[in-house]
Amino acid sequence: MGRVFAFVSDAALRRACELIADQTGHRPSEATLLACLETAHEQLAPYEQTIREQVLATPVAHADETEIRIEGTPQWLHTFSTPEWTFQAVHDKRGSEAFDDIGLIPRYSGILVHDCNMPYFKDGYSFELALCGAHLKRLERRYTTILHDGETECQQG
């Protein structure tokens, strides 16, 4: 049960039980709800493995990570996706330690589209690099603003 416990707080369990009670008129205990979550986790494991295999088999995939908060603590939601499949995992790190623990990026050998996060450039990965167009546009706007502001300052000085 450790994997489910890691991401379900007491407050979230109470709220979920209250929601079920509001909808059905019957309030399950937190232990019952946790048992249901653990059962669902176990039953979904083969599907998770299928998603892992499918994203690893595609020639082009996209990877990104987004900071989220769980119980007020910063965590990272890692996403590895293709047009047909999406795999997500939560980890307390953003970089190569998380990549290695999750296990997809070190095993991927196609073209990986990503932001310019340095861990993607780690030696030992076998994928080809491609930079995400949305991230490139964002960088372009940032540097254009910096250059424009710099020229303005130089002209005024």
Side-chain angles (χ1 to χ4, degrees), residues 94-116:
R94 181 179 184 202
S96 57
E97 181 181 338
F99 296 169
D100 294 345
D101 288 349
I102 294 165
L104 288 174
I105 288 176
R107 294 177 50 213
Y108 187 66
S109 60
I111 299 170
L112 187 65
V113 181
H114 62 87
D115 58 12
C116 293

Side-chain angles (χ1 to χ4, degrees), residues 42-62:
E42 290 169 4
Q43 291 178 351
L44 290 171
Y47 297 101
E48 179 182 332
Q49 186 58 35
T50 297
I51 294 168
R52 284 177 174 273
E53 292 168 5
Q54 292 297 319
V55 297
L56 287 171
T58 57
V60 179
H62 180 266

Side-chain angles (χ1 to χ4, degrees), residues 10-34:
D10 290 338
L13 280 172
R14 280 192 303 278
R15 286 192 301 268
C17 289
E18 290 167 6
L19 176 65
I20 292 169
D22 289 346
Q23 298 295 316
T24 67
H26 302 282
R27 188 185 189 285
S29 71
E30 285 88 356
T32 298
L33 190 54
L34 269 177

Side-chain angles (χ1 to χ4, degrees), residues 61-125:
H62 180 266
D64 201 6
E65 57 287 325
T66 302
E67 185 178 20
I68 61 173
R69 293 199 170 273
I70 298 175
E71 290 291 295
T73 302
Q75 301 281 308
W76 291 93
L77 176 63
H78 293 262
T79 302
F80 195 97
S81 62
T82 71
E84 293 83 23
W85 300 93
T86 299
F87 180 88
Q88 293 183 314
V90 175
H91 198 280
D92 60 344
K93 304 278 185 187
R94 181 179 184 202
S96 57
E97 181 181 338
F99 296 169
D100 294 345
D101 288 349
I102 294 165
L104 288 174
I105 288 176
R107 294 177 50 213
Y108 187 66
S109 60
I111 299 170
L112 187 65
V113 181
H114 62 87
D115 58 12
C116 293
N117 189 6
M118 287 307 297
Y120 290 108
F121 296 94
K122 176 181 173 182
D123 287 338
Y125 291 150

